Amino acid sequence: MAKLEVSSKRVMLRNYVTGFSQETYLELSQGTIVLKVPQGSNAILVKNLYLSCDPYICKKGTVYRKPYLTYHELFKICSPKKGEHVFVSAASGAVGQLVGQFAKLMGCYVVGSVGSKEKVDLLKNKLGFNEAFNYKEEHELDAALKRCFPEGIDIYFDNVGGKILDAILNMRTRGRIAACGMVSQYNLEQPESIKNLISIISKQVCIQGFVSHEQYHLYPQMLDTLLPYIREGKLVYVEDIAEGLERSPAALVGLFSGHNVGKQVAAVAHE
Ligand SMILES: NC(=O)c1ccc[n+]([C@@H]2O[C@H](COP(=O)([O-])OP(=O)(O)OC[C@H]3O[C@@H](n4cnc5c(N)ncnc54)[C@H](OP(=O)(O)O)[C@@H]3O)[C@@H](O)[C@H]2O)c1
């Protein structure tokens, strides 16, 4: 008979996080758990093989939500059309890489911003973006955007907020912005102010936020859409796997310095 009580590792937040997330805010401890569901219940036991590392876990202490569902918002909020000009920030990450590739599949011209040369190469050579730039090396974001989009931007899928969002607001008339996340703001005591908001009036820009956990019902539909593209090699997905729960604090905190290349997960068990 299987042992009912087993040892188990866990990672806990020591306290609420203030300021920049640090590895020391997270604590690895050993405990025991009882592998038994309450008598008469319909519950089942599951074993986690992977832990999804998402930027908002450190700050909000929330559980894992599926970034894959965010690609739906590209269609729902932004309605991309063939030939339109699309910009994606944090473009090599879990969300950004899918959004950019879907916009390409729709026949759009797609540019991504990322935080290293390695990621610029990934976007252009593996993920099929038309252009990419390293925002950390651009002194003037406006100039970088003008260089990549001489005719302006129709759609912005925002993963970072802050200065990049501010620079984009002066976009084409009837531009659309899907506000997915603001990773540049999560660690700040005071969020940065947005100066160009007034542009959205004359340019008739539409900005809409969303939360993916309201779309779990779309998961089967998402698989139906994604899997054929993956099988045909039209969609690739880059993952960054940290081995072991012990490495998950570093993996989580690394999201805020761009340490991850692709979707960050921690492999906590192999079978
Ligand atoms: N609305 C929703 O339901 C929902 C669901 C999932 C995720 N999200 C949001 O979507 C965004 C992307 O999440 P993800 O899971 O795909 O993470 P991710 O892009 O895989 O990882 C985060 C990336 O953000 C970039 N970054 C970190 N600090 C930055 C800063 N100060 N300025 C600019 N870029 C910075 C880093 O890439 P670089 O090297 O490029 O800097 C880092 O690799 C996050 O804002 C997240 O909160 C929202």
Side-chain angles (χ1 to χ4, degrees):
M1 193 179 147
K3 198 176 168 190
L4 285 184
E5 189 170 283
V6 295
S7 72
S8 168
K9 291 177 203 155
R10 62 188 180 183
V11 173
M12 303 275 287
L13 270 178
R14 286 182 204 269
N15 213 329
Y16 284 107
V17 176
T18 53
F20 203 88
S21 302
Q22 293 174 30
E23 213 177 313
T24 49
Y25 291 171
L26 294 152
E27 184 176 40
L28 183 77
S29 61
Q30 189 91 29
T32 55
I33 52 167
V34 178
L35 298 179
K36 194 178 177 194
V37 297
Q39 206 158 16
S41 90
N42 292 326
I44 55 165
L45 281 170
V46 294
K47 182 174 181 179
N48 276 344
L49 300 182
Y50 293 95
L51 169 74
S52 173
C53 302
D54 298 331
Y56 38 74
I57 292 180
C58 275
K59 293 307 278 187
K60 312 282 184 201
T62 52
V63 293
Y64 165 42
R65 295 171 187 162
K66 291 191 169 57
Y68 317 105
L69 289 168
T70 56
Y71 88 94
H72 271 282
E73 303 306 315
L74 175 69
F75 299 97
K76 211 169 86 189
I77 298 173
C78 301
S79 311
K81 291 178 228 30
K82 191 173 177 191
E84 284 197 312
H85 297 184
V86 177
F87 180 57
V88 186
S89 53
S92 66
V95 172
Q97 58 175 303
L98 274 185
V99 167
Q101 289 181 84
F102 265 97
K104 279 297 295 176
L105 287 167
M106 296 294 296
C108 298
Y109 167 81
V110 183
V111 177
S113 65
V114 282
S116 71
K117 182 182 179 311
E118 179 193 7
K119 292 181 181 182
V120 167
D121 292 343
L122 179 76
L123 258 51
K124 287 165 67 168
N125 302 328
K126 182 159 183 165
L127 301 176
F129 282 55
N130 295 90
E131 263 309 330
F133 65 85
N134 177 354
Y135 68 92
K136 290 179 182 167
E137 289 191 342
E138 298 288 346
H139 298 297
E140 291 289 336
L141 276 174
D142 289 331
L145 292 169
K146 191 78 191 157
R147 188 176 73 233
C148 295
F149 293 103
E151 294 164 33
I153 298 169
D154 298 292
I155 291 170
Y156 174 42
F157 197 97
D158 186 21
N159 288 313
V160 307
K163 292 185 183 65
I164 294 187
L165 172 62
D166 209 6
I168 301 289
L169 284 171
N170 193 12
M171 61 198 307
R172 271 179 162 178
T173 301
R174 279 180 281 281
R176 287 90 74 198
I177 299 177
C180 174
M182 300 202 176
V183 69
S184 73
Q185 306 299 296
Y186 299 159
N187 289 309
L188 304 181
E189 293 296 328
Q190 285 290 326
E192 290 172 302
S193 58
I194 299 288
K195 303 185 188 80
N196 294 321
L197 200 57
I198 201 164
S199 305
I200 70 172
I201 301 169
S202 56
K203 296 287 181 72
Q204 302 163 66
V205 171
C206 174
I207 307 179
Q208 190 179 330
F210 64 90
V211 282
S212 59
H213 69 271
E214 288 192 358
Q215 297 148 26
Y216 279 150
H217 61 286
L218 295 174
Y219 195 65
Q221 185 188 326
M222 180 212 78
L223 289 180
D224 288 347
T225 312
L226 291 190
L227 291 178
Y229 284 121
I230 292 171
R231 286 192 196 106
E232 289 167 32
K234 291 181 177 166
L235 191 68
V236 293
Y237 201 63
V238 180
E239 286 179 320
D240 194 330
I241 302 176
E243 270 305 323
L245 193 65
E246 297 81 355
R247 299 226 166 106
S248 63
L252 268 173
V253 171
L255 294 170
F256 298 103
S257 51
H259 187 76
N260 61 309
V261 180
K263 167 67 192 163
Q264 181 71 64
V265 293
V268 295
H270 285 284
E271 55 181 21

PDB file of all heavy atoms in Angstrom, residues 48 54 60 64-65 84-85 103 107 115 137 146-148 168 170 176 189 203 205 246 260 263 266:
ATOM      1  N   ASN A  48       2.242  17.997  -8.934  1.00  0.00           N
ATOM      2  CA  ASN A  48       2.777  19.046  -9.796  1.00  0.00           C
ATOM      3  C   ASN A  48       4.112  18.628 -10.377  1.00  0.00           C
ATOM      4  O   ASN A  48       5.015  18.226  -9.633  1.00  0.00           O
ATOM      5  CB  ASN A  48       3.017  20.332  -8.992  1.00  0.00           C
ATOM      6  CG  ASN A  48       1.765  21.150  -8.857  1.00  0.00           C
ATOM      7  OD1 ASN A  48       0.809  20.935  -9.577  1.00  0.00           O
ATOM      8  ND2 ASN A  48       1.781  22.096  -7.941  1.00  0.00           N
ATOM      9  N   ASP A  54       5.476  33.371 -12.974  1.00  0.00           N
ATOM     10  CA  ASP A  54       4.837  34.525 -13.601  1.00  0.00           C
ATOM     11  C   ASP A  54       5.160  35.780 -12.810  1.00  0.00           C
ATOM     12  O   ASP A  54       5.228  35.736 -11.577  1.00  0.00           O
ATOM     13  CB  ASP A  54       3.308  34.334 -13.642  1.00  0.00           C
ATOM     14  CG  ASP A  54       2.918  33.130 -14.472  1.00  0.00           C
ATOM     15  OD1 ASP A  54       3.670  32.796 -15.399  1.00  0.00           O
ATOM     16  OD2 ASP A  54       1.874  32.517 -14.191  1.00  0.00           O
ATOM     17  N   LYS A  60       1.873  39.801  -5.829  1.00  0.00           N
ATOM     18  CA  LYS A  60       0.493  39.641  -5.377  1.00  0.00           C
ATOM     19  C   LYS A  60       0.272  38.339  -4.618  1.00  0.00           C
ATOM     20  O   LYS A  60      -0.771  38.159  -4.014  1.00  0.00           O
ATOM     21  CB  LYS A  60      -0.464  39.645  -6.582  1.00  0.00           C
ATOM     22  CG  LYS A  60      -0.210  40.773  -7.561  1.00  0.00           C
ATOM     23  CD  LYS A  60      -0.782  42.073  -7.053  1.00  0.00           C
ATOM     24  CE  LYS A  60      -0.606  43.160  -8.092  1.00  0.00           C
ATOM     25  NZ  LYS A  60      -0.682  44.481  -7.523  1.00  0.00           N
ATOM     26  N   TYR A  64      -0.976  30.504 -10.223  1.00  0.00           N
ATOM     27  CA  TYR A  64      -0.662  30.456 -11.640  1.00  0.00           C
ATOM     28  C   TYR A  64      -1.892  30.680 -12.523  1.00  0.00           C
ATOM     29  O   TYR A  64      -2.922  30.094 -12.333  1.00  0.00           O
ATOM     30  CB  TYR A  64      -0.060  29.072 -11.908  1.00  0.00           C
ATOM     31  CG  TYR A  64       0.024  28.637 -13.332  1.00  0.00           C
ATOM     32  CD1 TYR A  64       0.417  29.501 -14.336  1.00  0.00           C
ATOM     33  CD2 TYR A  64      -0.279  27.334 -13.656  1.00  0.00           C
ATOM     34  CE1 TYR A  64       0.508  29.072 -15.638  1.00  0.00           C
ATOM     35  CE2 TYR A  64      -0.188  26.895 -14.953  1.00  0.00           C
ATOM     36  CZ  TYR A  64       0.201  27.772 -15.939  1.00  0.00           C
ATOM     37  OH  TYR A  64       0.284  27.354 -17.224  1.00  0.00           O
ATOM     38  N   ARG A  65      -1.740  31.579 -13.467  1.00  0.00           N
ATOM     39  CA  ARG A  65      -2.769  31.754 -14.485  1.00  0.00           C
ATOM     40  C   ARG A  65      -2.137  31.524 -15.836  1.00  0.00           C
ATOM     41  O   ARG A  65      -0.963  31.763 -16.028  1.00  0.00           O
ATOM     42  CB  ARG A  65      -3.321  33.174 -14.441  1.00  0.00           C
ATOM     43  CG  ARG A  65      -4.034  33.460 -13.154  1.00  0.00           C
ATOM     44  CD  ARG A  65      -4.354  34.925 -13.085  1.00  0.00           C
ATOM     45  NE  ARG A  65      -4.888  35.221 -11.778  1.00  0.00           N
ATOM     46  CZ  ARG A  65      -4.949  36.438 -11.279  1.00  0.00           C
ATOM     47  NH1 ARG A  65      -4.513  37.449 -11.972  1.00  0.00           N
ATOM     48  NH2 ARG A  65      -5.453  36.634 -10.100  1.00  0.00           N
ATOM     49  N   GLU A  84      -1.370  45.409 -41.080  1.00  0.00           N
ATOM     50  CA  GLU A  84      -1.297  46.385 -39.986  1.00  0.00           C
ATOM     51  C   GLU A  84       0.038  46.258 -39.241  1.00  0.00           C
ATOM     52  O   GLU A  84       0.703  45.212 -39.277  1.00  0.00           O
ATOM     53  CB  GLU A  84      -2.480  46.205 -39.025  1.00  0.00           C
ATOM     54  CG  GLU A  84      -3.776  46.764 -39.624  1.00  0.00           C
ATOM     55  CD  GLU A  84      -4.872  46.980 -38.593  1.00  0.00           C
ATOM     56  OE1 GLU A  84      -5.127  46.053 -37.795  1.00  0.00           O
ATOM     57  OE2 GLU A  84      -5.467  48.070 -38.586  1.00  0.00           O
ATOM     58  N   HIS A  85       0.369  47.346 -38.540  1.00  0.00           N
ATOM     59  CA  HIS A  85       1.671  47.429 -37.871  1.00  0.00           C
ATOM     60  C   HIS A  85       1.497  47.172 -36.376  1.00  0.00           C
ATOM     61  O   HIS A  85       0.798  47.930 -35.700  1.00  0.00           O
ATOM     62  CB  HIS A  85       2.279  48.808 -38.090  1.00  0.00           C
ATOM     63  CG  HIS A  85       2.567  49.100 -39.530  1.00  0.00           C
ATOM     64  ND1 HIS A  85       3.183  50.251 -39.953  1.00  0.00           N
ATOM     65  CD2 HIS A  85       2.330  48.363 -40.648  1.00  0.00           C
ATOM     66  CE1 HIS A  85       3.309  50.207 -41.265  1.00  0.00           C
ATOM     67  NE2 HIS A  85       2.798  49.081 -41.707  1.00  0.00           N
ATOM     68  N   ALA A 103       0.297  37.527 -34.640  1.00  0.00           N
ATOM     69  CA  ALA A 103       0.133  38.717 -35.482  1.00  0.00           C
ATOM     70  C   ALA A 103       0.797  38.478 -36.843  1.00  0.00           C
ATOM     71  O   ALA A 103       0.274  38.880 -37.882  1.00  0.00           O
ATOM     72  CB  ALA A 103       0.734  39.927 -34.783  1.00  0.00           C
ATOM     73  N   GLY A 107      -0.697  38.124 -41.002  1.00  0.00           N
ATOM     74  CA  GLY A 107      -0.193  38.940 -42.108  1.00  0.00           C
ATOM     75  C   GLY A 107       0.197  40.350 -41.691  1.00  0.00           C
ATOM     76  O   GLY A 107       0.307  41.246 -42.535  1.00  0.00           O
ATOM     77  N   GLY A 115      15.103  42.904 -23.899  1.00  0.00           N
ATOM     78  CA  GLY A 115      16.166  43.488 -23.097  1.00  0.00           C
ATOM     79  C   GLY A 115      17.566  42.970 -23.349  1.00  0.00           C
ATOM     80  O   GLY A 115      18.454  43.215 -22.534  1.00  0.00           O
ATOM     81  N   GLU A 137      19.258  49.541 -24.779  1.00  0.00           N
ATOM     82  CA  GLU A 137      20.346  50.228 -25.487  1.00  0.00           C
ATOM     83  C   GLU A 137      19.846  51.411 -26.299  1.00  0.00           C
ATOM     84  O   GLU A 137      20.619  52.016 -27.030  1.00  0.00           O
ATOM     85  CB  GLU A 137      21.058  49.226 -26.399  1.00  0.00           C
ATOM     86  CG  GLU A 137      21.870  48.244 -25.586  1.00  0.00           C
ATOM     87  CD  GLU A 137      22.805  47.412 -26.426  1.00  0.00           C
ATOM     88  OE1 GLU A 137      22.603  47.342 -27.654  1.00  0.00           O
ATOM     89  OE2 GLU A 137      23.709  46.817 -25.823  1.00  0.00           O
ATOM     90  N   LYS A 146      10.265  55.146 -34.250  1.00  0.00           N
ATOM     91  CA  LYS A 146      10.180  55.813 -35.563  1.00  0.00           C
ATOM     92  C   LYS A 146      10.992  55.020 -36.599  1.00  0.00           C
ATOM     93  O   LYS A 146      10.590  54.857 -37.750  1.00  0.00           O
ATOM     94  CB  LYS A 146      10.711  57.250 -35.422  1.00  0.00           C
ATOM     95  CG  LYS A 146      10.441  58.139 -36.606  1.00  0.00           C
ATOM     96  CD  LYS A 146       9.008  58.619 -36.602  1.00  0.00           C
ATOM     97  CE  LYS A 146       8.662  59.290 -37.908  1.00  0.00           C
ATOM     98  NZ  LYS A 146       7.252  59.308 -38.203  1.00  0.00           N
ATOM     99  N   ARG A 147      12.150  54.527 -36.149  1.00  0.00           N
ATOM    100  CA  ARG A 147      13.017  53.757 -37.053  1.00  0.00           C
ATOM    101  C   ARG A 147      12.312  52.464 -37.506  1.00  0.00           C
ATOM    102  O   ARG A 147      12.338  52.118 -38.683  1.00  0.00           O
ATOM    103  CB  ARG A 147      14.301  53.415 -36.290  1.00  0.00           C
ATOM    104  CG  ARG A 147      15.394  52.782 -37.120  1.00  0.00           C
ATOM    105  CD  ARG A 147      16.642  52.569 -36.280  1.00  0.00           C
ATOM    106  NE  ARG A 147      16.504  51.470 -35.325  1.00  0.00           N
ATOM    107  CZ  ARG A 147      16.741  51.582 -34.014  1.00  0.00           C
ATOM    108  NH1 ARG A 147      17.103  52.731 -33.488  1.00  0.00           N
ATOM    109  NH2 ARG A 147      16.598  50.538 -33.217  1.00  0.00           N
ATOM    110  N   CYS A 148      11.648  51.794 -36.561  1.00  0.00           N
ATOM    111  CA  CYS A 148      11.003  50.509 -36.886  1.00  0.00           C
ATOM    112  C   CYS A 148       9.629  50.703 -37.516  1.00  0.00           C
ATOM    113  O   CYS A 148       9.145  49.823 -38.241  1.00  0.00           O
ATOM    114  CB  CYS A 148      10.846  49.667 -35.618  1.00  0.00           C
ATOM    115  SG  CYS A 148      12.406  49.174 -34.901  1.00  0.00           S
ATOM    116  N   ILE A 168       4.383  54.963 -26.944  1.00  0.00           N
ATOM    117  CA  ILE A 168       3.514  54.391 -27.985  1.00  0.00           C
ATOM    118  C   ILE A 168       2.233  55.206 -28.169  1.00  0.00           C
ATOM    119  O   ILE A 168       1.627  55.181 -29.240  1.00  0.00           O
ATOM    120  CB  ILE A 168       3.068  52.957 -27.589  1.00  0.00           C
ATOM    121  CG1 ILE A 168       4.244  52.039 -27.385  1.00  0.00           C
ATOM    122  CG2 ILE A 168       2.086  52.368 -28.594  1.00  0.00           C
ATOM    123  CD1 ILE A 168       4.949  51.669 -28.624  1.00  0.00           C
ATOM    124  N   ASN A 170       1.317  57.968 -28.852  1.00  0.00           N
ATOM    125  CA  ASN A 170       1.193  58.814 -30.040  1.00  0.00           C
ATOM    126  C   ASN A 170       1.201  57.925 -31.289  1.00  0.00           C
ATOM    127  O   ASN A 170       2.073  58.020 -32.139  1.00  0.00           O
ATOM    128  CB  ASN A 170       2.358  59.801 -30.070  1.00  0.00           C
ATOM    129  CG  ASN A 170       2.136  60.899 -31.083  1.00  0.00           C
ATOM    130  OD1 ASN A 170       1.024  61.047 -31.597  1.00  0.00           O
ATOM    131  ND2 ASN A 170       3.175  61.624 -31.395  1.00  0.00           N
ATOM    132  N   ARG A 176      -5.125  50.595 -31.455  1.00  0.00           N
ATOM    133  CA  ARG A 176      -5.687  49.766 -30.370  1.00  0.00           C
ATOM    134  C   ARG A 176      -4.546  49.277 -29.468  1.00  0.00           C
ATOM    135  O   ARG A 176      -3.513  48.840 -29.973  1.00  0.00           O
ATOM    136  CB  ARG A 176      -6.420  48.530 -30.929  1.00  0.00           C
ATOM    137  CG  ARG A 176      -7.751  48.846 -31.590  1.00  0.00           C
ATOM    138  CD  ARG A 176      -7.597  49.145 -33.066  1.00  0.00           C
ATOM    139  NE  ARG A 176      -7.337  47.974 -33.876  1.00  0.00           N
ATOM    140  CZ  ARG A 176      -6.832  48.012 -35.093  1.00  0.00           C
ATOM    141  NH1 ARG A 176      -6.499  49.162 -35.657  1.00  0.00           N
ATOM    142  NH2 ARG A 176      -6.640  46.900 -35.786  1.00  0.00           N
ATOM    143  N   GLU A 189       7.473  51.650  -5.879  1.00  0.00           N
ATOM    144  CA  GLU A 189       6.586  52.148  -4.815  1.00  0.00           C
ATOM    145  C   GLU A 189       5.570  53.116  -5.412  1.00  0.00           C
ATOM    146  O   GLU A 189       4.403  53.115  -5.052  1.00  0.00           O
ATOM    147  CB  GLU A 189       7.409  52.853  -3.730  1.00  0.00           C
ATOM    148  CG  GLU A 189       8.338  51.928  -2.938  1.00  0.00           C
ATOM    149  CD  GLU A 189       7.576  50.891  -2.129  1.00  0.00           C
ATOM    150  OE1 GLU A 189       6.462  51.196  -1.678  1.00  0.00           O
ATOM    151  OE2 GLU A 189       8.094  49.768  -1.948  1.00  0.00           O
ATOM    152  N   LYS A 203      -6.283  60.982 -31.495  1.00  0.00           N
ATOM    153  CA  LYS A 203      -5.997  59.799 -32.316  1.00  0.00           C
ATOM    154  C   LYS A 203      -7.083  58.720 -32.176  1.00  0.00           C
ATOM    155  O   LYS A 203      -6.997  57.666 -32.790  1.00  0.00           O
ATOM    156  CB  LYS A 203      -4.641  59.206 -31.915  1.00  0.00           C
ATOM    157  CG  LYS A 203      -3.459  60.122 -32.184  1.00  0.00           C
ATOM    158  CD  LYS A 203      -3.184  60.178 -33.679  1.00  0.00           C
ATOM    159  CE  LYS A 203      -2.006  61.060 -34.026  1.00  0.00           C
ATOM    160  NZ  LYS A 203      -0.713  60.528 -33.685  1.00  0.00           N
ATOM    161  N   VAL A 205      -7.676  56.594 -29.896  1.00  0.00           N
ATOM    162  CA  VAL A 205      -7.050  55.318 -29.525  1.00  0.00           C
ATOM    163  C   VAL A 205      -7.912  54.580 -28.503  1.00  0.00           C
ATOM    164  O   VAL A 205      -8.479  55.190 -27.599  1.00  0.00           O
ATOM    165  CB  VAL A 205      -5.631  55.573 -28.946  1.00  0.00           C
ATOM    166  CG1 VAL A 205      -5.045  54.310 -28.340  1.00  0.00           C
ATOM    167  CG2 VAL A 205      -4.720  56.132 -30.025  1.00  0.00           C
ATOM    168  N   GLU A 246      14.115  24.203  -5.747  1.00  0.00           N
ATOM    169  CA  GLU A 246      15.134  25.052  -5.101  1.00  0.00           C
ATOM    170  C   GLU A 246      15.482  26.247  -5.976  1.00  0.00           C
ATOM    171  O   GLU A 246      15.878  27.303  -5.487  1.00  0.00           O
ATOM    172  CB  GLU A 246      16.429  24.258  -4.856  1.00  0.00           C
ATOM    173  CG  GLU A 246      16.294  23.078  -3.911  1.00  0.00           C
ATOM    174  CD  GLU A 246      15.727  21.825  -4.574  1.00  0.00           C
ATOM    175  OE1 GLU A 246      15.337  21.907  -5.768  1.00  0.00           O
ATOM    176  OE2 GLU A 246      15.634  20.795  -3.890  1.00  0.00           O
ATOM    177  N   ASN A 260      15.114  35.370 -17.802  1.00  0.00           N
ATOM    178  CA  ASN A 260      14.484  34.272 -18.561  1.00  0.00           C
ATOM    179  C   ASN A 260      14.516  34.544 -20.061  1.00  0.00           C
ATOM    180  O   ASN A 260      14.360  35.667 -20.511  1.00  0.00           O
ATOM    181  CB  ASN A 260      13.023  34.093 -18.115  1.00  0.00           C
ATOM    182  CG  ASN A 260      12.179  35.331 -18.354  1.00  0.00           C
ATOM    183  OD1 ASN A 260      12.545  36.440 -17.953  1.00  0.00           O
ATOM    184  ND2 ASN A 260      11.055  35.171 -19.016  1.00  0.00           N
ATOM    185  N   LYS A 263       9.288  31.336 -21.921  1.00  0.00           N
ATOM    186  CA  LYS A 263       8.414  31.065 -20.783  1.00  0.00           C
ATOM    187  C   LYS A 263       9.188  30.407 -19.642  1.00  0.00           C
ATOM    188  O   LYS A 263       9.779  29.345 -19.824  1.00  0.00           O
ATOM    189  CB  LYS A 263       7.274  30.137 -21.249  1.00  0.00           C
ATOM    190  CG  LYS A 263       6.463  29.513 -20.125  1.00  0.00           C
ATOM    191  CD  LYS A 263       5.676  30.548 -19.364  1.00  0.00           C
ATOM    192  CE  LYS A 263       5.104  29.968 -18.076  1.00  0.00           C
ATOM    193  NZ  LYS A 263       4.697  31.016 -17.143  1.00  0.00           N
ATOM    194  N   ALA A 266       9.669  26.090 -13.542  1.00  0.00           N
ATOM    195  CA  ALA A 266      10.595  25.301 -12.731  1.00  0.00           C
ATOM    196  C   ALA A 266      10.097  23.859 -12.779  1.00  0.00           C
ATOM    197  O   ALA A 266       8.912  23.608 -12.538  1.00  0.00           O
ATOM    198  CB  ALA A 266      10.623  25.824 -11.295  1.00  0.00           C
TER     199      ALA A 266
END
